[in-house]
Amino acid sequence: MASPLPSTPDKFPTTQMFDEIIVVIVGEGSDSKSFSVHKGVACFHSGFFRAATKSCYKEGKEGVIELPDEEVDVVEQFVKWLYTRQVDKPVEHHAAFLAMSKLWTFSDRRDVPLLANTMVDAMRDVIFRTRKLPTQALHYIYENTTPNSELRRFVIDLIARTASTDRIMTDENRDRWPQEALWDLVQQVWCTTGLKKMLQRIIPILQFLADSNNAQYRTINLVIRRNMASQNAPLPSTLDQYPTAQVHLTSVDKFDHVIEVKVGQGMFGADCMQSFFVHHGVACMLSGYFRAATNGNFMEAASGIVKLPTEDANIFGQFVAWMYTRRFDLDSMDTNTAFSTMCKLWAFADRRQVPLLANVTINALRDRIAKDWTVPTPQLNYIYENTTADAGLRRFCIRVIANACKSESLTGADKREMWPEDALFDALKILWEQRDHDKTKRWIKEDLLRLDMCKYHIHSAGVRCNKHE
């Protein structure tokens, strides 16, 4: 029975292993390079070489092993390590992290547990010495390792426990994060924070979004942005502000005349737009969009007809009912439908600048979450596709999910499909910022040195390193 592959540095090849030589050819064509190594030494450390050099295989008979897919520099360092237990370490930390990651992944492919363990330990030492984290090597690591590999777990654990938000979670660092790494990091931070705070109200960002590719609508949106500051009456954002018969807006009473709003197009085009009739003054009091579109020199102002071809007629109907009653018809809906409706209403309010509707909707969303005690994770894709980066709806939903859910809520392929990459990034920011406030949960260098590195080593069952190693 073959002896187990060594995974601790106290194991060495015997003198009998330095007899036979094999040739390892790395790369292809003119860029290839040959290395001569002792068969016994290579087989002592590597499960791959043990299997490849068996006499029943061509490699075993000829004593030549070809590795066309490996990098010459990496195998060169492996050969040096075989005999010296040392590798060349670049001075610059980013280059060092990448070099060690390449050697670890080579070890993983070629079944060299001691070299893999040595590289994890060396990476820890560089982190301790430079106080830098291997974020720039993340793409290489995640492209060349399997899920839950020891290298992934080591890097994610270290980043989750030692990094601060302002150091890592910045926009310029986004390109360094593969989506799988974000996913693993969110789960790790989620597991270590243990925070479930009460839900908090969010004051929505009242930012108007340009809609559709229609030049006319984009022009209207630009005019809205320019003219809002000069309007006499501010847009209401609290429930104590109701339209009255004598409150003036650009010299027009609230209940003076009716305008027609044509919504959606459906599969049959403009002829199938659904018409709604609303009081001009009420719409203009509540909505910056209607205020600008119907009080200028646009066709809408002259014709009394506003077209919203990109809006959902059902959502606009909910908006019209709310304009006059300040109520939603949500109680009869199941939880998922209610969440979707509220997210769509909020996005509509954001596009059409109806701050009161946005605020009331987000409060209703909070109440429904508290009532059913479930979170709107299935709606994240819609939210992130239809809101801006700092939108109140995004910030509210991510904070609730981050603080109210367990890490198990991320488990499973079906859960991953619910999470846009930006949502993972935002959730991680929240968890990390909360962890930063609790200094007892952040590692210091002594915690790093006390880390049980065998969690990240490749050992046979029952084998562990000595504590001093």
Side-chain angles (χ1 to χ4, degrees):
M1 182 176 179
S3 59
L5 292 167
S7 61
T8 58
D10 56 340
K11 307 293 191 299
F12 292 91
T14 63
T15 55
Q16 291 79 16
M17 295 178 183
F18 291 86
D19 51 1
E20 186 177 347
I21 293 292
I22 58 174
V23 177
V24 182
I25 302 176
V26 184
E28 293 183 295
S30 59
D31 295 328
S32 65
K33 185 173 181 179
S34 296
F35 299 89
S36 298
V37 297
H38 290 91
K39 175 182 175 181
V41 176
C43 292
F44 174 77
H45 285 293
S46 167
F48 169 81
F49 282 97
R50 285 189 186 183
T53 56
K54 287 183 178 178
S55 59
C56 57
Y57 294 114
K58 174 185 175 183
E59 290 84 354
K61 294 176 180 178
E62 298 180 355
V64 177
I65 296 178
E66 296 181 357
L67 302 178
D69 297 327
E70 297 292 355
E71 294 183 33
V72 171
D73 292 344
V74 173
V75 178
E76 193 170 47
Q77 290 296 319
F78 165 65
V79 172
K80 176 179 179 178
W81 175 86
L82 276 179
Y83 295 102
T84 67
R85 296 287 176 93
Q86 295 180 352
V87 297
D88 296 331
K89 296 177 184 177
V91 175
E92 201 274 325
H93 61 276
H94 291 310
F97 287 141
L98 183 58
M100 289 183 284
S101 298
K102 288 184 176 182
L103 276 167
W104 192 98
T105 56
F106 172 86
S107 304
D108 192 38
R109 288 190 298 272
R110 305 304 173 184
D111 199 9
V112 193
L114 180 54
L115 177 57
N117 298 347
T118 302
M119 289 303 101
V120 172
D121 292 349
M123 192 174 288
R124 177 201 57 186
D125 295 342
V126 173
I127 293 170
F128 180 74
R129 175 174 55 82
T130 65
R131 297 179 180 270
K132 301 291 185 181
L133 292 168
T135 53
Q136 290 189 339
L138 282 175
H139 277 288
Y140 178 86
I141 292 171
Y142 271 77
E143 288 168 3
N144 292 276
T145 59
T146 57
N148 205 39
S149 71
E150 289 79 5
L151 183 60
R152 285 194 190 187
R153 290 191 294 110
F154 170 71
V155 171
I156 292 299
D157 278 0
L158 263 291
I159 294 173
R161 294 178 183 274
T162 63
S164 60
T165 307
D166 57 356
R167 189 178 172 193
I168 296 297
M169 303 307 295
T170 58
D171 289 338
E172 55 268 26
N173 281 337
R174 281 185 183 236
D175 290 341
R176 297 181 183 177
W177 291 90
Q179 185 161 357
E180 279 192 273
L182 275 175
W183 188 266
D184 291 345
L185 196 55
V186 168
Q187 291 190 81
Q188 182 60 27
V189 175
W190 220 309
C191 290
T192 56
T193 54
L195 297 175
K196 289 187 179 180
K197 295 185 178 180
M198 295 181 64
L199 304 181
Q200 299 176 353
R201 281 191 174 185
I202 299 292
I203 300 176
I205 301 297
L206 307 178
Q207 181 175 5
F208 193 81
L209 290 177
D211 77 313
S212 83
N213 293 321
N214 187 300
Q216 175 187 351
Y217 289 93
R218 290 203 305 271
T219 302
I220 292 174
N221 292 334
L222 290 172
V223 171
I224 289 172
R225 290 191 178 119
R226 288 195 207 103
N227 292 343
M228 278 308 301
S230 64
Q231 297 287 355
N232 293 326
L235 290 168
S237 61
T238 60
L239 284 171
D240 57 351
Q241 296 170 288
Y242 280 85
T244 64
Q246 299 302 321
V247 175
H248 293 274
L249 178 66
T250 62
S251 302
V252 180
D253 289 342
K254 291 289 182 270
F255 296 94
D256 54 350
H257 66 278
V258 170
I259 59 174
E260 181 181 3
V261 184
K262 293 187 174 183
V263 183
Q265 288 188 348
M267 62 186 297
F268 300 108
D271 292 340
C272 293
M273 298 180 81
Q274 185 171 341
S275 291
F276 297 85
F277 297 92
V278 298
H279 287 94
H280 171 258
V282 177
C284 290
M285 178 197 176
L286 294 169
S287 166
Y289 178 86
F290 283 101
R291 185 178 293 187
T294 60
N295 288 293
N297 297 320
F298 295 106
M299 179 178 64
E300 287 82 355
S303 66
I305 298 175
V306 177
K307 294 181 180 180
L308 303 177
T310 61
E311 296 295 352
D312 183 326
N314 292 327
I315 295 301
F316 191 82
Q318 290 270 0
F319 165 62
V320 172
W322 172 83
M323 275 204 305
Y324 293 106
T325 67
R326 301 294 172 89
R327 297 178 186 277
F328 296 117
D329 182 20
L330 300 174
D331 292 340
S332 60
M333 298 180 184
D334 62 77
T335 301
N336 196 53
T337 303
F339 283 163
S340 295
T341 300
M342 286 184 274
C343 291
K344 290 178 180 179
L345 278 167
W346 195 97
F348 170 85
D350 193 38
R351 286 191 296 273
R352 304 303 171 184
Q353 198 158 9
V354 192
L356 179 55
L357 175 61
N359 297 347
V360 170
T361 301
I362 212 165
N363 288 349
L365 181 59
R366 175 205 56 192
D367 295 343
R368 187 62 181 257
I369 292 171
K371 175 185 175 183
D372 298 343
W373 201 232
T374 187
V375 292
T377 310
Q379 284 71 40
L380 283 177
N381 278 301
Y382 175 86
I383 292 170
Y384 273 76
E385 288 170 1
N386 291 276
T387 61
T388 54
D390 197 34
L393 183 64
R394 282 195 191 190
R395 293 186 288 111
F396 171 74
C397 290
I398 286 297
R399 182 164 292 279
V400 172
I401 293 170
N403 288 332
C405 290
K406 297 179 179 178
S407 60
E408 288 84 353
S409 63
L410 294 168
T411 305
D414 57 327
K415 301 295 194 305
R416 292 196 177 206
E417 293 176 358
M418 297 180 184
W419 282 84
E421 185 171 347
D422 282 347
L424 287 171
F425 201 81
D426 291 344
L428 189 54
K429 277 185 178 179
I430 290 172
L431 294 166
W432 223 322
E433 286 165 358
Q434 291 171 342
R435 196 276 317 276
D436 285 348
H437 290 302
D438 185 356
K439 299 301 183 183
T440 63
K441 293 185 179 297
R442 281 190 59 193
W443 278 10
I444 57 177
K445 61 182 180 181
E446 285 76 12
D447 294 315
L448 175 61
L449 292 175
R450 287 195 296 265
L451 181 64
D452 179 7
M453 296 303 293
C454 279
K455 290 170 56 179
Y456 311 101
H457 287 176
I458 303 170
H459 291 307
S460 301
V463 177
R464 288 185 58 82
C465 299
N466 294 327
K467 288 187 177 180
H468 67 275
E469 294 168 356

